[in-house]
Amino acid sequence: MHSPANGQLFAICYPVLAAVGVPANIVAIAILSRGRCGLSRCITRYLVSMAVTDLLVILTAVILNRIGGIYFRNSFLSTTFACIVSTVLIYSSRDSSVWLTVAFTFDRFVAICCQKLKIKYCTEKTAAVVIGMVCILSCLKNIPFYFTYEPLYIINNVAWYCNRKPSFYASPAWTAFDWFDRLLTPCLPFLVMFLLNVLTVRHILAASRVRRRLRAQSNGETQSDPEMESRRKCVILLFSISGSFMLLWLTYVINFLYVRITNTNYFTGFNFNDTKFILQESGNMLQLLSCCTNTCIYTVTQSKFRQELKNTVKYSLNLIAKLVQK
């Protein structure tokens, strides 16, 4: 028998995750799209695209896959076709979300550390091209997953559920593809973002020391520096987004490394009494939680976003009040 406490935990957490993640990302998209948060158009493009892909992850992975599998078993969502299509959509939206975070981190690295390249690269047009390429490549990369599944049952000529084909585990080509998928998301993004953040911090510290010395020599005293203050806010936003991503994906990466090092398989069923299953499912849940945190980060780090959020809430409440009165 399954442990009721742990089973109830996951059954409750996913609906809560959906109830928070969907409106949070919709609000972020609406507010950021207005362009009134004091951010450049380049940054706004990245943040809006990240919110859109995060919303897609919540819709596909949380609502269709997790909530559908827990509360609506034996429905259309459990047919093999729906299962395979939803799996491909989940992987595509997940990869898009992860690599857009990497693209945003690289864009901010260029803006802070590479002043000559900044003029050409950190533009709205370049951001649009990068976003489009990331989304297209993420979709193309995950198409092969469509051919790795087969029906688990066939009842009355209807195929139900998904089961990995035996050839997926026996074929060296599929094994290599599985390694490529796991390393590409999220192991490589981990390394890239960590390296970019280290280089960015080193550059900021060196530039800050030089700038303080120059201002002290010219003014005779240390005064507030509007440029450094603006850069500080941008860095806080960058580190908050990339830091929360790495923290929430850490359990997933640990579980991946554990499975590969010990040469064990991932759990395909439910065993809430098994520590390895809890580690796997906790890693999945935390990496899905990363799709809900960016709105909180904007609210904490960006004063203009907070003001726009307050205005949106006031407008919505006033609108509701008028409708109720009518």
Side-chain angles (χ1 to χ4, degrees):
M1 294 295 292
H2 294 164
S3 172
N6 288 330
Q8 291 176 2
L9 174 63
F10 291 117
I12 293 173
C13 285
Y14 284 119
V16 172
L17 194 61
V20 174
V22 171
N25 283 296
I26 291 176
V27 168
I29 294 170
I31 293 177
L32 292 170
S33 298
R34 296 176 184 173
R36 301 175 184 175
C37 297
L39 302 171
S40 68
R41 292 185 177 181
C42 177
I43 296 177
T44 301
R45 283 256 186 179
Y46 280 112
L47 296 182
V48 170
S49 65
M50 289 161 59
V52 171
T53 52
D54 286 347
L55 177 61
L56 291 176
V57 173
I58 297 295
L59 294 176
T60 55
V62 178
I63 296 178
L64 292 181
N65 184 268
R66 298 296 176 174
I67 297 178
I70 293 173
Y71 293 99
F72 303 100
R73 297 184 67 82
N74 301 323
S75 66
F76 171 77
L77 295 175
S78 299
T79 60
T80 302
F81 175 77
C83 177
I84 295 176
V85 171
S86 66
T87 300
V88 174
L89 292 176
I90 289 168
Y91 287 153
S92 299
S93 57
R94 178 205 63 178
D95 288 359
S96 297
S97 175
V98 170
W99 281 100
L100 285 175
T101 305
V102 176
F104 171 74
T105 304
F106 180 75
D107 179 87
R108 292 302 87 200
F109 166 76
V110 172
I112 295 172
C113 304
C114 310
Q115 295 301 313
K116 293 183 179 179
L117 182 59
K118 173 185 176 180
I119 299 175
K120 294 182 178 180
Y121 185 82
C122 299
T123 63
E124 186 180 11
K125 182 178 179 180
T126 301
V129 172
V130 171
I131 292 168
M133 289 180 60
V134 167
C135 294
I136 292 173
L137 291 177
S138 296
C139 294
L140 293 176
K141 172 252 179 186
N142 289 291
I143 289 178
F145 279 114
Y146 184 88
F147 304 98
T148 64
Y149 291 95
E150 63 182 4
L152 184 60
Y153 306 110
I154 297 179
I155 303 175
N156 295 328
N157 294 324
V158 178
W160 292 94
Y161 300 103
C162 295
N163 187 43
R164 277 277 167 82
K165 295 179 180 178
S167 59
F168 181 81
Y169 301 101
S171 170
W174 281 122
T175 302
F177 177 78
D178 187 48
W179 267 99
F180 171 74
D181 173 65
R182 302 289 179 174
L183 292 175
L184 194 64
T185 306
C187 294
L188 183 58
F190 251 73
L191 296 176
V192 172
M193 284 195 287
F194 179 77
L195 177 62
L196 291 175
N197 285 335
V198 169
L199 295 175
T200 302
V201 169
R202 189 178 68 173
H203 177 85
I204 290 172
L205 293 176
S208 298
R209 287 194 294 267
V210 172
R211 192 170 181 86
R212 280 197 298 267
R213 286 198 299 266
L214 293 175
R215 288 181 64 84
Q217 293 174 2
S218 61
N219 299 325
E221 59 181 358
T222 303
Q223 298 179 353
S224 61
D225 190 342
E227 181 175 339
M228 291 304 298
E229 181 66 20
S230 175
R231 181 176 295 183
R232 183 184 69 85
K233 293 180 179 179
C234 182
V235 168
I236 290 175
L237 177 63
L238 168 64
F239 287 174
S240 299
I241 292 176
S242 58
S244 67
F245 167 83
M246 290 188 286
L247 181 63
L248 293 173
W249 276 82
L250 182 60
T251 305
Y252 183 92
V253 174
I254 291 174
N255 182 65
F256 163 72
L257 295 176
Y258 171 79
V259 169
R260 293 305 176 183
I261 293 173
T262 59
N263 197 28
T264 57
N265 294 324
Y266 290 98
F267 278 88
T268 56
F270 295 92
N271 185 359
F272 295 105
N273 290 318
D274 195 299
T275 304
K276 291 183 289 185
F277 171 78
I278 295 175
L279 175 64
Q280 174 181 306
E281 194 63 19
S282 297
N284 291 330
M285 188 165 60
L286 287 174
Q287 63 101 353
L288 292 173
L289 179 61
S290 67
C291 298
C292 306
T293 57
N294 285 344
T295 301
C296 298
I297 292 172
Y298 306 149
T299 304
V300 172
T301 61
Q302 303 294 311
S303 58
K304 291 186 178 180
F305 184 90
R306 289 196 300 271
Q307 186 59 46
E308 286 295 316
L309 181 60
K310 291 178 182 177
N311 295 336
T312 301
V313 172
K314 289 180 181 178
Y315 175 79
S316 300
L317 292 177
N318 291 334
L319 182 61
I320 293 173
K322 291 180 180 179
L323 292 175
V324 170
Q325 290 176 356
K326 290 183 179 180

